[in-house]
Amino acid sequence: MRVQIIGFGVIGQGLAEVLLRKREELKQRYSLEVKVVSITDISGTAYAEEGLDLEKALSVARQTRAIVNYPGAKEMTGIEAIEEIDADLVIEATPSNIKTGEPGLSHMLAGFKAGKHVVTSNKGPLALKYKELVTEAARNNVEFRFEASVGGAMPVINLARETLSGDKITAIEGILNGTTNYILSRMTREGLSFEQVLKEAQELGYAETDPTYDIEGIDTASKLVILANAIMGIDATFSDVKTRGITRITPEAIRLAKERGYVIKLIGEVRNNHLEVSPRLIPETHPLNVDGALNVAMLHCDVAGEITVVGKGAGAIETQSAILSDIIAIWKKRGAGQ
Ligand code: HSE
């Protein structure tokens, strides 16, 4: 399978690393050979018809922060790479932008137009233009999968749509942002200040490029919109979410809650067509009380009852579990060149 990676930051590099690690396993288990034919970042595009040397690409990106330093790379943009290079699948892994959805939105649409399947971790375009994106993918008869856009390694979209396909999901509630959960958990356990812990979350690679997306609840709201659309068929967009973040949560408020057997968590909920993100008091013993950078989603199903899934919501390597599962699903359904 010929793959293009657009965006070579935390997620793009994590994918290259996991593809290197799992090359033999993918061949043996699925007869899948992933050939990364191009990698694009803001500096340009590295390209090789026979597949790039991923170790070299990683070392170039890590040492120089510019893929254009890969031997033979060109100052070619993501759109040009998608339009001009022969490939089956585009991995869109540029930073999420909730104001315009760009550059991810244009990359995805260009991918569909070029007849390429798209797998993405990028929430912004989905939170703004979900309907347009799925319609365009269908119109061009290509696959479009985005498990990694919500909850990193926590499998929720494919779980609901595939495994729970006989259920109607009536409500979803959960913790959908690792950075804020990490911050609140550390503040609860160690009484640390907000600023101290945010810095650590950034260093660990959990936080968004612009961390206000995390702490203001914007990231959670984007993910909630994706879940509402993808799982519950609600035609919602980002502006439909009532959003409040955690910037005003003090160590004092956390301490008082703790004394009464509660924790404060940033919860996203979709119920009765209403989408809301807000800090809430959760009993310590409740299944939504998960620690650290973990994410959790509770699906209220009409047949199964409550299904709760917990997993690592962020991280360069962990997120690849979702990306790989989408690549493999497309490979199983379509094979190469279809
Ligand atoms: N900044 C996000 C988080 C990354 O902290 O959960 C994963 O979407």
Side-chain angles (χ1 to χ4, degrees), residues 23-251:
R23 183 176 284 158
E24 280 313 308
E25 187 188 329
L26 291 175
K27 247 191 246 168
Q28 276 175 13
R29 283 174 72 187
Y30 305 108
S31 306
L32 168 58
E33 200 176 334
V34 177
K35 237 184 226 177
V36 177
V37 293
S38 73
I39 296 176
T40 302
D41 71 8
I42 200 141
S43 70
T45 297
Y47 165 62
E49 175 67 27
E50 71 289 356
L52 290 163
D53 176 342
L54 294 180
E55 262 169 73
K56 192 182 285 173
L58 281 169
S59 99
V60 165
R62 283 172 184 157
Q63 278 166 27
T64 72
R65 295 184 175 275
I67 201 66
V68 78
N69 295 317
Y70 187 96
K74 291 188 198 153
E75 281 181 17
M76 182 189 250
T77 65
I79 296 285
E80 288 164 347
I82 291 166
E83 286 173 349
E84 291 168 28
I85 295 170
D86 175 35
D88 307 303
L89 172 74
V90 173
I91 308 287
E92 214 296 331
T94 61
S96 191
N97 174 335
I98 198 62
K99 291 190 185 91
T100 62
E102 297 296 358
L105 181 59
S106 296
H107 291 153
M108 293 175 197
L109 293 172
F112 302 149
K113 211 167 147 203
K116 294 173 178 176
H117 309 301
V118 174
V119 168
T120 192
S121 55
N122 190 345
K123 296 150 274 197
L126 284 154
L128 293 168
K129 304 264 179 187
Y130 184 93
K131 211 169 182 180
E132 181 182 336
L133 286 165
V134 295
T135 306
E136 278 308 298
R139 209 166 61 86
N140 289 282
N141 187 29
V142 291
E143 301 294 320
F144 178 39
R145 297 181 69 109
F146 39 85
E147 179 66 60
S149 67
V150 179
M154 176 181 72
V156 58
I157 297 172
N158 299 337
L159 174 83
R161 298 214 297 195
E162 288 157 24
T163 311
L164 295 170
S165 55
D167 276 79
K168 181 171 178 328
I169 313 292
T170 53
I172 304 171
E173 53 190 330
I175 297 174
L176 304 175
N177 181 267
T179 302
T180 46
N181 203 26
Y182 180 80
I183 293 173
L184 292 171
S185 302
R186 294 284 307 272
M187 285 173 77
T188 306
R189 239 182 303 127
E190 293 155 64
L192 297 172
S193 80
F194 187 87
E195 291 75 16
Q196 258 173 309
V197 200
L198 171 59
K199 205 161 165 284
E200 282 179 39
Q202 280 175 292
E203 281 162 11
L204 287 165
Y206 301 154
E208 294 300 292
T209 309
D210 176 356
T212 56
Y213 278 28
D214 297 291
I215 59 181
E216 305 280 9
I218 296 167
D219 180 69
T220 302
S222 311
K223 292 167 179 165
L224 198 62
V225 167
I226 299 171
L227 295 185
N229 277 277
I231 297 180
M232 295 172 70
I234 297 174
D235 182 13
T237 182
F238 182 70
S239 55
D240 298 321
V241 191
K242 196 173 158 214
T243 307
R244 192 151 48 91
I246 64 161
T247 48
R248 275 182 269 163
I249 306 291
T250 59

Side-chain angles (χ1 to χ4, degrees), residues 164 167-171 298-308:
L164 295 170
D167 276 79
K168 181 171 178 328
I169 313 292
T170 53
M298 187 182 267
L299 305 174
H300 297 262
C301 314
D302 66 343
V303 181
E306 282 167 9
I307 300 278
T308 305

